[in-house]
Amino acid sequence: MTKKLRLAFVTIGQSPRSDIVPEMLADIGGDVEAHEFGALDDVPENEIRALVPAPGETSFATRLRNGHEVTISKERVEIRLEELLERIDQQGFDAIVLLCTGTHVKPLRQTFMIESQRVVDSMVEALAASSQRLGVILPLARQVEEFPERHVFSRTPKLVAASPYAGDDIAERAAALADCDLVVMHCMGYSEAMRAAARQSISAPVLLSRRIVSGAVRQII
């Protein structure tokens, strides 16, 4: 009998991520027991508000349990994330799936971890080697300014912002990338429906971060 795989899905926001995990599980397939954790679970509202990025800090967009979007400091939420991952590392999961394409974390001692940023960026860089112009869709307008300081791609991409949480018109925003020959939706919050909306404006391949990560998870089942 095939063993049921115990996976921990970890968000920088609050769990459960009903907008991400069910779609990923359908894509992953197999016999999976999913558990969800969030770096902001049980954090009071006033403390979450205090995580707004200060001057000089970089930003993350994430979703709270009530569906609201919040913008938080990458540097400060990563401290909470590292502490959470250390606790999850003691709980006997087969693997941890980090639901953020903007952070690297230190390796865990006991648990195999799938870091979405490493997985997504590595695949995009490999495919972009044969493209002439890479486009990237990000959740926040301020991330368009921050991205050149942290991007790992060998060429400078064309950037546009469209929130997966605030009801932005994805097709309208994606039209700015119509001249690109490869586009990545660089946030785990973007859904397959949003990718389809982007394809209304873009004839080139559009890569969805959560599908790339789901593909990596399928390899360990």
Side-chain angles (χ1 to χ4, degrees):
M1 180 180 294
T2 303
K3 174 188 173 184
K4 178 177 287 190
L5 194 72
R6 294 184 70 244
L7 296 180
F9 290 87
V10 181
T11 174
I12 59 170
Q14 291 181 332
S15 66
R17 288 302 300 265
S18 57
D19 60 319
I20 297 179
V21 174
E23 185 172 297
M24 288 187 68
L25 290 174
D27 197 23
I28 292 166
D31 196 4
V32 173
E33 179 183 312
H35 299 256
E36 296 189 49
F37 303 86
L40 299 183
D41 284 355
D42 304 318
V43 176
E45 185 177 342
N46 63 314
E47 291 186 27
I48 294 175
R49 286 198 302 268
L51 289 172
V52 62
E57 291 184 321
T58 47
S59 56
F60 277 155
T62 190
R63 180 181 183 270
L64 300 182
R65 191 174 293 117
N66 60 13
H68 292 168
E69 176 186 65
V70 292
T71 302
I72 55 178
S73 161
K74 173 183 184 293
E75 290 80 4
R76 281 179 282 151
V77 79
E78 282 182 338
I79 296 173
R80 294 178 180 271
L81 179 62
E82 294 276 9
E83 294 171 349
L84 174 60
L85 289 171
E86 288 180 3
R87 294 196 298 271
I88 299 172
D89 192 30
Q90 309 300 316
Q91 298 183 31
F93 287 99
D94 295 299
I96 295 172
V97 184
L98 188 53
L99 300 176
C100 178
T101 55
T103 186
H104 290 319
V105 295
K106 62 185 179 183
L108 299 177
R109 294 185 177 183
Q110 300 183 46
T111 314
F112 182 79
M113 183 160 54
I114 296 175
E115 291 187 62
S116 294
Q117 179 168 354
R118 294 182 189 273
V119 173
V120 171
D121 287 354
S122 295
M123 182 170 183
V124 172
E125 178 66 5
L127 295 178
S130 61
S131 70
Q132 297 300 311
R133 191 162 199 185
L134 172 64
V136 178
I137 303 177
L138 300 165
L140 299 173
R142 62 180 293 160
Q143 289 177 322
V144 172
E145 301 300 322
E146 297 166 358
F147 196 81
E149 300 177 6
R150 67 179 178 84
H151 83 80
V152 298
F153 305 131
S154 58
R155 67 188 65 195
T156 301
K158 187 174 183 180
L159 306 169
V160 68
S163 172
Y165 311 120
D168 289 350
D169 188 325
I170 301 292
E172 180 182 28
R173 301 291 180 87
L177 304 179
D179 60 341
C180 295
D181 55 4
L182 179 67
V183 173
V184 57
M185 303 184 79
H186 206 281
C187 174
M188 294 294 285
Y190 294 121
S191 66
E192 178 58 33
M194 295 174 192
R195 189 183 82 91
R199 286 302 306 270
Q200 295 176 21
S201 303
I202 300 170
S203 59
V206 177
L207 306 179
L208 187 65
S209 291
R210 68 174 63 171
R211 286 185 65 183
I212 296 173
V213 176
S214 294
V217 177
R218 282 200 303 271
Q219 301 305 309
I220 67 172
I221 294 179

